[in-house]
Amino acid sequence: MDDARAHSAIEDIARSSYGRLVAYLAARSGDIAGAEDALSEAIGAALRHWPEQGVPDKPEAWLLRAARNRLIDAARHAEVHRRVEPLLQVAGEAQEAATMHPTFPDERLKLLFVCAHPAIDVAVRTPLMLQAVLGLDAARIAAAFLVSPAAMEQRLVRAKAKIREARIPFRVPEPPEWGERSAFVLDAIYSAYTAGWEGPTESATHGALARDAIALGRTLDQLLPDEPEAAGLLALMLHGEARRAARFTAAGAFVPLDRQDPARWARPLMAEAEALLRRAATFRRVGRYQLEAAIQSIHAQRATSGTIDWKEIALLYEGLVRLAPTIGAQVGRAVAIAEAGEVAAGLTALEALPSERTAVYQPWWAARGHLLRRAGRETEARRAFERAAGLTDDAALRSHLLAQAAGG
């Protein structure tokens, strides 16, 4: 087997299975960092052996077995007696998974709840989930949370050490413990979906990340059937996924939501999202994700009405910024106000946001360019669009923003 084919196979398997492999190993060893290191070494071993030996029939099981062996070796070398017994348990279970099943249990949701344990610093819970469970690197996570990669890496290392040293149990908590933890799990799943949605159009990794987030969202909704926010999050992601094919033309040009062809939207996903929203509404406990999904629901109605009710969207954003005043929600509110007919008020709301939060936030600059154009301030609009174009790695989106800067 040639090197290129083997490397491609390894990349595909690592991309699709990284989180499940880490979660499976960490759930049995209690050591997230150790599981990550062992898996990295196993992938390195695959890179050395698979080009010559070929990709094994059960590649996940091969990686799992190799990682398990490295965990056991590390424990022996360190002579840490208390870790030997659980690692031997890993050995037995991993061997069973490798020999009896083509796949193994998905422990990612369990690991998400572990990362949300009250003993873990609140500020690092969601980043830890994104790295340990969903495979995002520290640099990408740091950019999303507006901190330096070095600072984020230090936080993640400390959090993993805390889980190991405190012997936090790897289990889905009992219902009384769900309240605080579930909010962080929801946030991590949505952050993963957003990362998969906003990534470069040519990247298969980002599409896989979005699909993983939806799969986890489905599992969480099944686990928490009486939690309306779990249903709201899943509805939000499904509305987004329904439009994936319409986001770009056949030539690869980016298409904004309000210009997309509704005929290209996936109706079954939209119908499922609407059913989830209706179920969530019966609990009469409104939350962030239900409101965000409701906003997307109004956009989806353009498929039948041909129009967008911007006043209703603006009202929903008012509620959203009260519950979750994120930078994204506040930018969305400003745009909705302007689209509802109050351009000056929308621009004022946009410019009222603190500069330290907006300086490198690409959607703010794109929204600013749009609203400045609506206000007739063309020179400023052009500069804003140019700044927005410089803040994205997505070639299609950059081309679109530069076209807007040119008056397009």
Side-chain angles (χ1 to χ4, degrees), residues 274-292:
E274 292 300 304
L276 286 161
L277 269 179
R278 287 193 295 271
R279 175 160 66 83
T282 64
F283 293 95
R284 299 185 182 279
R285 298 201 311 270
V286 176
R288 168 193 174 182
Y289 292 111
Q290 294 168 75
L291 288 172
E292 292 204 38

Side-chain angles (χ1 to χ4, degrees), residues 63-292:
L63 289 172
L64 183 64
R65 188 164 49 242
R68 173 257 302 173
N69 289 337
R70 280 154 180 77
L71 278 170
I72 294 172
D73 288 344
R76 287 171 176 162
H77 290 316
E79 297 182 354
V80 182
H81 178 74
R82 67 179 177 82
R83 293 176 59 192
V84 171
E85 184 175 350
L87 288 172
L88 291 176
Q89 179 69 17
V90 171
E93 294 182 3
Q95 183 65 31
E96 179 182 357
T99 58
M100 297 181 63
H101 305 287
T103 59
F104 47 89
D106 191 340
E107 303 276 17
R108 290 176 299 174
L109 196 60
K110 183 186 294 183
L111 187 50
L112 285 173
F113 276 103
V114 169
C115 295
H117 192 280
I120 304 300
D121 181 13
V122 170
V124 80
R125 290 180 194 175
T126 297
L128 181 59
M129 295 177 205
L130 291 173
Q131 186 188 64
V133 184
L134 294 156
L136 273 68
D137 60 48
R140 286 178 62 194
I141 297 170
F145 286 83
L146 304 180
V147 300
S148 72
M152 180 57 71
E153 186 62 48
Q154 288 178 352
R155 294 179 191 178
L156 293 168
V157 168
R158 287 195 296 267
K160 292 171 192 176
K162 179 72 174 180
I163 290 171
R164 182 183 65 247
E165 293 162 3
R167 302 189 188 183
I168 294 173
F170 280 68
R171 61 175 177 82
V172 174
E174 296 301 316
E177 303 172 84
W178 284 347
E180 180 189 22
R181 293 204 212 182
S182 62
F184 288 96
V185 174
L186 288 163
D187 288 348
I189 292 173
Y190 185 52
S191 293
Y193 181 76
T194 301
W197 177 257
E198 294 179 346
T201 58
E202 69 276 7
S203 173
T205 301
H206 290 84
L209 185 58
R211 290 190 295 273
D212 263 0
I214 290 174
L216 285 168
R218 289 190 189 281
T219 304
L220 187 64
D221 183 50
Q222 293 168 4
L223 178 68
L224 307 177
D226 296 328
E227 174 49 66
E229 278 293 84
L233 171 62
L234 183 54
L236 173 60
M237 294 189 292
L238 291 175
H239 266 310
E241 202 63 15
R243 301 169 190 149
R244 183 173 289 276
R247 294 182 69 215
F248 304 94
T249 67
F254 175 78
V255 184
L257 175 56
D258 60 352
R259 298 183 194 174
Q260 289 175 12
D261 178 3
R264 300 187 67 194
W265 294 347
R267 298 300 179 95
L269 292 180
M270 292 163 62
E272 184 181 358
E274 292 300 304
L276 286 161
L277 269 179
R278 287 193 295 271
R279 175 160 66 83
T282 64
F283 293 95
R284 299 185 182 279
R285 298 201 311 270
V286 176
R288 168 193 174 182
Y289 292 111
Q290 294 168 75
L291 288 172
E292 292 204 38

